[in-house]
């Protein structure tokens, strides 16, 4: 008789019978031991500008060696990468790329960073963890773009080797997380607190979706929580929604909504608030003191950078981030 196993990686805490696969599609119980079905098998490998993650206060104008496997711990109805995040490993084309080869490739292509991204890095935790350990030895930075749906113990273990994280804070209500994502808000907030406590550089992305999470009072509450619990220096990216996956019935987010959200965030005390997925001046980093443009961006391209040794070149104000 096989033994039941409870997965302790994400807050879903799947209890699996022998040879049963978890809700993430990539973890299986074999005889009372959990195994990963995607270790060393990324289905997506690319070299991206670090700005695409998006990281705006982390090694600007450098490249990130980006990897992802099949699977996800959530089931967001608006997922932009649903073809791989909501797929089983056998439904994707994958590469055989063990951790040491990931680091070797990153160094060969001159990437300062390895980014675990596209789907949800939590599902390929062991692969990410082992890669990050090797990368650290060779002075290659480790970053992840994650939904933050991970339990405290594995996140603290990973944080020892993690330099930066961009967390999708998808909304600020339990109702949204339950109905639209199949998860809960509280564990994501807890993960943000853990990352701050562990000293990982943190940026937050909020995809603004008309009628679902675009109420300004909810956005205000979210921003006040960020300022109070994470501090005013955390960069916040408001990202424009486009109809996708199971939310094809909703329109793209109006620019005015994103502009209003940014104003609310800055009024709440956040110093660095950006608008993404649409061209605007709100892609630039400005000095919170003298208001000069420090980093001018056009999409993922950095046109000018006026940050010198972590300070504004015009007034010497210290700018939060990792710049070298």
């Amino acid at each position: 008789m096989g033994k039941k196993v409870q997965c302790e990686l994400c807050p879903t805490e799947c209890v699996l019978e022998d040879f049963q696969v978890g809700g993430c599609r990539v973890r299986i119980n074999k005889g009372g031991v959990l195994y990963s079905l995607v270790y060393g098998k990324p289905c997506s490998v690319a070299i991206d500008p670090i700005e695409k993650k998006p990281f705006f206060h982390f090694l600007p104008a450098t490249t990130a060696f980006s990897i992802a496997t099949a699977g996800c711990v959530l089931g967001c109805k608006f997922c932009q990468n649903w073809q791989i995040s909501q797929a089983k490993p056998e439904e994707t084309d994958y590469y055989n790329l063990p951790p040491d080869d990931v680091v070797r490739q990153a160094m060969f292509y001159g990437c300062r960073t390895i980014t675990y991204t596209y789907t949800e890095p939590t599902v390929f935790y062991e692969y990410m963890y082992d890669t990050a350990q090797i990368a650290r030895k060779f002075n290659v930075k480790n970053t992840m773009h994650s939904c933050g749906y991970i339990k405290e113990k594995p996140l603290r273990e990973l944080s020892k080797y993690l330099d930066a994280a961009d967390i999708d804070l998808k909304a600020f209500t339990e109702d949204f997380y339950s109905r639209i994502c199949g998860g809960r808000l509280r564990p994501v907030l807890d993960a943000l607190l853990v990352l701050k406590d562990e000293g990982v550089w943190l940026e937050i992305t909020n995809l603004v979706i008309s009628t679902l999470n675009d109420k300004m009072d909810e956005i205000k509450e979210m921003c006040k929580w960020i300022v109070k619990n994470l501090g005013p220096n955390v960069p916040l990216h408001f990202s424009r929604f486009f109809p996708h996956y199971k939310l094809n019935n909703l329109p793209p987010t109006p620019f005015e909504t994103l502009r209003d959200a940014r104003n609310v965030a800055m009024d709440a005390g956040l110093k660095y608030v950006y608008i993404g997925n649409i061209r605007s001046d709100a892609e630039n980093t400005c000095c919170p003191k003298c208001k000069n443009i420090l980093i001018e961006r056009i999409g993922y391209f950095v046109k000018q950078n006026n940050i010198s040794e972590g300070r504004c070149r015009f007034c010497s104000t210290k700018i939060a981030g990792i710049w070298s």
Side-chain angles (χ1 to χ4, degrees):
M1 286 289 288
K3 298 175 183 175
K4 283 185 181 180
V5 171
Q6 183 173 46
C7 182
E8 292 290 337
L9 187 56
C10 97
T12 306
E13 298 182 317
C14 293
V15 177
L16 304 175
E17 302 280 357
D18 201 12
F19 284 96
Q20 187 179 3
V21 176
C24 62
R25 303 172 182 81
V26 300
R27 303 176 74 76
I28 188 171
N29 174 13
K30 290 184 181 179
V33 180
L34 273 175
Y35 289 88
S36 169
L37 296 170
V38 291
Y39 188 95
K41 297 177 179 179
C43 61
S44 186
V45 179
I47 294 170
D48 293 320
I50 195 74
E51 286 77 13
K52 188 177 180 182
K53 298 300 110 190
F55 285 108
F56 278 14
H57 288 237
F58 187 90
L59 303 182
T62 62
T63 51
F65 193 83
S66 303
I67 59 171
T69 73
C72 190
V73 293
L74 294 177
C76 301
K77 294 179 179 180
F78 49 82
C79 183
Q80 294 178 13
N81 291 316
W82 63 271
Q83 294 95 335
I84 53 177
S85 74
Q86 305 302 311
K88 299 172 184 175
E90 63 269 24
E91 295 170 340
T92 64
D93 296 324
Y94 60 83
Y95 308 86
N96 283 309
L97 203 65
D100 54 344
D101 280 349
V102 175
V103 179
R104 196 175 291 118
Q105 293 261 8
M107 294 173 71
F108 178 80
Y109 288 107
C111 299
R112 297 277 303 276
T113 304
I114 296 168
T115 301
Y116 313 96
T117 180
Y118 300 137
T119 54
E120 174 44 54
T122 299
V123 299
F124 57 93
Y125 180 88
E126 296 84 0
Y127 181 35
M128 170 171 55
Y129 183 87
D130 291 351
T131 304
Q133 276 191 305
I134 298 168
R136 177 63 62 86
K137 291 176 185 173
F138 290 94
N139 201 30
V140 177
K141 303 285 190 190
N142 292 292
T143 67
M144 72 171 181
H145 187 130
S146 168
C147 66
Y149 210 64
I150 181 172
K151 295 191 75 172
E152 179 178 351
K153 186 178 177 183
L155 182 56
R156 287 197 186 275
E157 285 294 311
L158 177 66
S159 292
K160 292 184 177 74
Y161 303 99
L162 197 61
D163 297 285
D166 189 306
I167 302 297
D168 285 326
L169 184 50
K170 297 171 188 287
F172 208 62
T173 65
E174 292 289 356
D175 176 69
F176 180 97
Y177 266 89
S178 175
R179 285 192 305 115
I180 308 299
C181 305
R184 291 178 289 129
L185 168 63
R186 186 68 245 176
V188 181
L189 300 181
D190 290 342
L192 287 165
L193 295 172
V194 168
L195 288 164
K196 179 179 188 287
D197 186 51
E198 291 287 342
V200 177
W201 175 251
L202 191 58
E203 303 198 20
I204 294 172
T205 298
N206 176 244
L207 182 72
V208 183
I209 307 173
S210 295
T211 74
L212 293 181
N213 68 347
D214 62 341
K215 294 188 180 73
M216 290 303 143
D217 57 343
E218 288 175 10
I219 290 173
K220 182 179 180 181
E221 287 303 308
M222 177 181 76
C223 295
K224 284 164 63 178
W225 185 91
I226 294 170
V227 171
K228 180 182 177 184
N229 294 278
L230 307 175
N233 289 321
V234 175
L236 174 60
H237 304 259
F238 287 114
S239 193
R240 191 186 194 199
F241 164 82
F242 289 98
H244 217 69
Y245 191 32
K246 295 179 179 178
L247 288 185
N248 277 316
N249 57 317
L250 294 179
T253 317
F255 176 73
E256 293 74 19
T257 303
L258 297 165
R259 181 197 61 203
D260 291 348
R262 181 173 186 261
N263 289 337
V264 164
M266 296 183 82
D267 287 344
L270 286 166
K271 294 180 182 177
Y272 309 104
V273 188
Y274 302 99
I275 292 176
N277 275 356
I278 190 170
R279 299 287 79 85
S280 79
D281 290 343
E283 294 179 307
N284 300 327
T285 298
C286 294
C287 176
K289 187 176 182 183
C290 72
K291 309 303 180 190
N292 278 303
I293 291 178
L294 298 179
I295 301 178
E296 184 180 2
R297 301 179 182 87
I298 301 173
Y300 306 133
F301 174 70
V302 173
K303 193 173 177 184
Q304 62 170 316
N305 184 348
N306 293 308
I307 295 175
S308 178
E309 297 181 349
R311 294 183 177 275
C312 169
R313 192 168 282 166
F314 306 103
C315 73
S316 297
T317 296
K318 194 172 189 300
I319 307 300
I322 295 174
W323 307 109
S324 62

